[in-house]
Amino acid sequence: MPELTVISPYKSCTFSYLLGGHHSFNRYDCRASRRLRHSWSRVADSKCQGQQGEQQKPSQTKASSQPTSRQAAGQPKRTAGPKRPSHYTGHQVDKLYIYQLTLHHTQTEHAMMCMQKQRKQAANQGRCTAAYIRAQKDKLMQSVRGPQPDLALDSFFTDMSALCSRSASCIDHTHLNAIPGAIAKAWTPAWAGLGQQKQQQARHQMHAFLTKMLQKLQPLLSDVGAREAANLLWSSAKLGVDPHALVPGMTDSLACQFMADMDAATGQGFANVLVACAKLQLSPCQGGLFKAILNQLATTDLSKFDPQNVANTLHSLVTLPAAAPSIEVLYALCKRFRSLLSSRHTCELPDAQSIANTMWALRELRHAPTDELGMCMVGRMVALSRMPGQQPTPQAISSVLLACAELTLPVKQADIDGLASFLLSTDRQRVFKQHYANTAWSLAVLGHLREEQLELLLDQLFALSVSRRELSGPSLLQDVDLRQLYPALEWLQPPQNATIQQGKAWLKLKGKLNSWDPAQLATQTHILGPSSSAQL
């Protein structure tokens, strides 16, 4: 390997270079690499020519006396160009260029290595900070279920405040988003274990701590995406705190960040934002957030929505009068729910609670789904009633039947019998009077109520009232929910040409109701509708 010494006005340095080999700069600038290799070749050629010395001079002088090919062809002789302005000539200028280029690439590579090292250290520190927050969150979730949840909350507040005060922690917007989320998940069990006096103290401490976190997040809002904004709004709603009340303008700022990154938002993000606004009764950006969300729901693909997202979105739209969803939005959500019902993946199939919440929301919004969707939802509920661990609650069954009755959805007799049988076989301790009354009224409106079903419902209802001692006597007409039984009985009234046996069966049911409160029966001159309190 030949060694060449480069003499420069700034530095003297010796370079070793293997002719024809690769060097460490070809990944930065290929053209500079080729020029560098050619420069080294010219330097080597000049050095070889210098070793021959005086031997070539006579021959060159002799050869110069002979006419060249250009002169023989009659072309003018080529004249030499201007000299280089530098006081270095020949290969010395090339060697100076090589030195400068080498020094530039070396400095660039060193700077890039330093930047990569700093980024790697920051990433490692950020991962360590996130792991520490998760560990403290798990510790908090276990401690709040103990005898002193107030001390667990105070310890978490102290640890997180100390973490944010350390400059080496590399706290960013993701960490500041995870801390309120941890408090929101631990707040409900902690609140249940606190006394009334300690509850107020804990709420005051939580407000002060959350204010500090939001103030630290405010300069980093430009980095907050749709997911972080949605999670932070959900956490605030879970804690019952409006971010604007703690830091003025924070709610609108989070809404703007969500709208700016709305294309990257998932179904969970849309549902979290609407749930938070519904719980806190917010209207961020003077209703601009709702308009943007509804426009996105009506015009884009909803494949990112799972059954719970669809149900929570519809449920929130019911309790947000300022939202005013259009027919296109409701149609798109129902279409997505129908595709989930026909999914081949078990994890994508709706559960009983999602179906019940969806049916309740559609009933409140007075939007009747397609007959196919209604029958599929009822059929799915019947299938879930036969699956241990996934069986619907009495409230879910009551809500589904009530929605079918009010929206006049066509249902199969077999499905109605399956849901009614499951409700009647459920332990009475899990059923309320409202569930039996709503079921009886819904079956009558749908035209599927039979006398034996109403008799079983009345027996279960009477046994439930006596066992819970909710009534001093069987006076069912004093309860608003139970007045639905009389319309159900009227729908069962046999025609004039009915047989004697049918008439006796109906009179038996009527006598059972009259015996519970005969004085109130005369005042029932009109048919009452379903109970307005049948909500999830």
Side-chain angles (χ1 to χ4, degrees):
M1 179 180 297
E3 293 185 356
L4 299 178
T5 302
V6 178
I7 301 176
S8 162
Y10 309 100
K11 186 176 181 181
S12 177
C13 184
T14 301
F15 294 89
S16 297
Y17 187 81
L18 181 61
L19 296 179
H22 295 281
H23 48 83
S24 59
F25 317 120
N26 55 6
R27 67 168 179 257
Y28 298 113
D29 192 349
C30 296
R31 291 177 295 178
S33 301
R34 290 193 296 269
R35 185 173 180 181
L36 181 61
R37 186 178 292 109
H38 294 163
S39 300
W40 277 109
S41 301
R42 292 170 58 188
V43 171
D45 294 341
S46 300
K47 187 175 181 180
C48 294
Q49 292 176 3
Q51 291 177 356
Q52 296 179 2
E54 303 294 336
Q55 298 178 2
Q56 296 182 357
K57 290 184 179 180
S59 60
Q60 292 177 358
T61 304
K62 183 179 180 180
S64 61
S65 61
Q66 298 178 0
T68 61
S69 59
R70 296 177 62 89
Q71 294 175 355
Q75 298 179 0
K77 183 179 180 181
R78 178 181 296 174
T79 58
K83 294 184 178 181
R84 302 188 183 187
S86 174
H87 60 280
Y88 295 98
T89 59
H91 69 275
Q92 292 181 341
V93 177
D94 295 328
K95 288 189 288 186
L96 180 60
Y97 166 75
I98 294 169
Y99 166 73
Q100 293 174 349
L101 185 62
T102 305
L103 182 62
H104 170 72
H105 282 291
T106 303
Q107 293 175 348
T108 303
E109 184 177 8
H110 178 70
M112 293 184 64
M113 290 178 62
C114 291
M115 292 177 59
Q116 291 177 358
K117 185 177 180 181
Q118 292 176 358
R119 291 175 182 174
K120 186 176 181 181
Q121 290 177 352
N124 291 336
Q125 188 63 38
R127 284 192 291 267
C128 293
T129 302
Y132 177 76
I133 295 175
R134 286 194 298 268
Q136 294 299 316
K137 172 189 171 182
D138 296 339
K139 179 181 177 182
L140 176 65
M141 293 298 296
Q142 295 178 359
S143 302
V144 293
R145 291 179 171 84
Q148 295 179 327
D150 54 336
L151 297 181
L153 289 172
D154 185 64
S155 177
F156 183 79
F157 295 157
T158 303
D159 293 340
M160 293 299 103
S161 298
L163 177 67
C164 295
S165 62
R166 293 196 294 266
S167 59
S169 301
C170 295
I171 294 291
D172 59 10
H173 62 284
T174 59
H175 303 138
L176 294 174
N177 182 272
I179 294 174
I183 302 174
K185 292 182 179 179
W187 186 253
T188 300
W191 187 264
L194 294 172
Q196 184 175 3
Q197 183 177 0
K198 291 185 176 181
Q199 285 179 350
Q200 301 300 326
Q201 183 180 359
R203 181 182 291 276
H204 177 73
Q205 293 178 351
M206 181 266 293
H207 285 183
F209 176 76
L210 196 59
T211 301
K212 294 180 181 179
M213 294 296 103
L214 293 178
Q215 289 175 350
K216 292 186 74 68
L217 180 65
Q218 198 168 19
L220 305 175
L221 280 175
S222 58
D223 298 330
V224 174
R227 179 180 179 183
E228 290 83 6
N231 290 343
L232 193 56
L233 287 172
W234 177 87
S235 302
S236 302
K238 189 75 173 178
L239 296 171
V241 180
D242 182 5
H244 176 76
L246 302 179
V247 178
M250 179 58 70
T251 302
D252 289 345
S253 298
L254 292 174
C256 290
Q257 291 301 121
F258 182 82
M259 288 188 289
D261 194 31
M262 191 179 296
D263 292 337
T266 61
Q268 185 69 40
F270 284 104
N272 285 349
V273 170
L274 291 175
V275 168
C277 293
K279 188 170 184 179
L280 298 176
Q281 287 300 302
L282 303 177
S283 182
C285 302
Q286 299 180 353
L289 177 63
F290 298 149
K291 294 179 181 178
I293 290 179
L294 294 178
N295 181 66
Q296 189 82 358
L297 295 179
T299 57
T300 60
D301 183 22
L302 303 183
S303 58
K304 298 179 181 179
F305 281 69
D306 61 13
Q308 186 177 1
N309 299 151
V310 175
N312 290 345
T313 300
L314 287 170
H315 193 280
S316 301
L317 293 176
V318 173
T319 55
L320 282 173
S326 62
I327 299 296
E328 291 77 12
V329 173
L330 299 178
Y331 176 78
L333 291 171
C334 291
K335 182 179 178 181
R336 174 57 183 166
F337 204 82
R338 176 64 184 90
S339 64
L340 291 169
L341 282 169
S342 60
S343 176
R344 297 181 179 180
H345 302 285
T346 307
C347 59
E348 294 183 356
L349 292 174
D351 58 358
Q353 193 64 39
S354 299
I355 296 175
N357 288 346
T358 301
M359 294 287 280
W360 176 86
L362 293 176
R363 178 174 69 88
E364 292 294 323
L365 292 170
R366 296 295 185 266
H367 177 77
T370 60
D371 295 347
E372 181 185 7
L373 177 57
M375 296 177 66
C376 287
M377 286 193 285
V378 176
R380 175 63 179 168
M381 289 288 288
V382 175
L384 289 172
S385 65
R386 305 190 185 102
M387 301 179 184
Q390 302 184 37
Q391 295 173 337
T393 62
Q395 177 67 68
I397 294 176
S398 173
S399 297
V400 169
L401 293 177
L402 196 59
C404 291
E406 290 197 10
L407 298 176
T408 62
L409 298 178
V411 290
K412 299 179 181 179
Q413 179 69 47
D415 294 340
I416 292 296
D417 293 342
L419 292 179
S421 300
F422 179 77
L423 179 65
L424 292 172
S425 62
T426 304
D427 184 12
R428 288 195 299 267
Q429 300 301 323
R430 299 175 52 198
V431 188
F432 292 95
K433 296 181 296 181
Q434 170 192 335
H435 303 154
Y436 288 130
N438 287 345
T439 300
W441 184 88
S442 301
L443 294 179
V445 173
L446 292 172
H448 296 296
L449 180 65
R450 297 194 300 270
E451 294 179 354
E452 55 270 19
Q453 288 178 334
L454 181 59
E455 186 175 4
L456 289 174
L457 288 169
L458 293 177
D459 293 341
Q460 293 281 4
L461 189 57
F462 180 76
L464 178 64
S465 301
V466 173
S467 63
R468 293 185 179 179
R469 298 180 180 179
E470 295 178 345
L471 301 174
S472 57
S475 179
L476 301 181
L477 289 180
Q478 295 178 359
D479 194 329
V480 177
D481 293 333
L482 297 179
R483 293 183 185 180
Q484 300 172 72
L485 296 173
Y486 283 94
L489 182 64
E490 292 296 330
W491 265 298
L492 282 178
Q493 185 174 6
Q496 295 181 353
N497 57 353
T499 61
I500 298 177
Q501 186 177 2
Q502 292 176 345
K504 289 183 178 180
W506 184 82
L507 291 175
K508 180 180 178 181
L509 293 176
K510 184 177 180 180
K512 184 176 291 188
L513 285 177
N514 292 345
S515 64
W516 289 353
D517 196 353
Q520 297 290 336
L521 180 61
T523 64
Q524 304 302 318
T525 58
H526 62 279
I527 296 177
L528 300 177
S531 172
S532 61
S533 61
Q535 299 180 6
L536 294 182

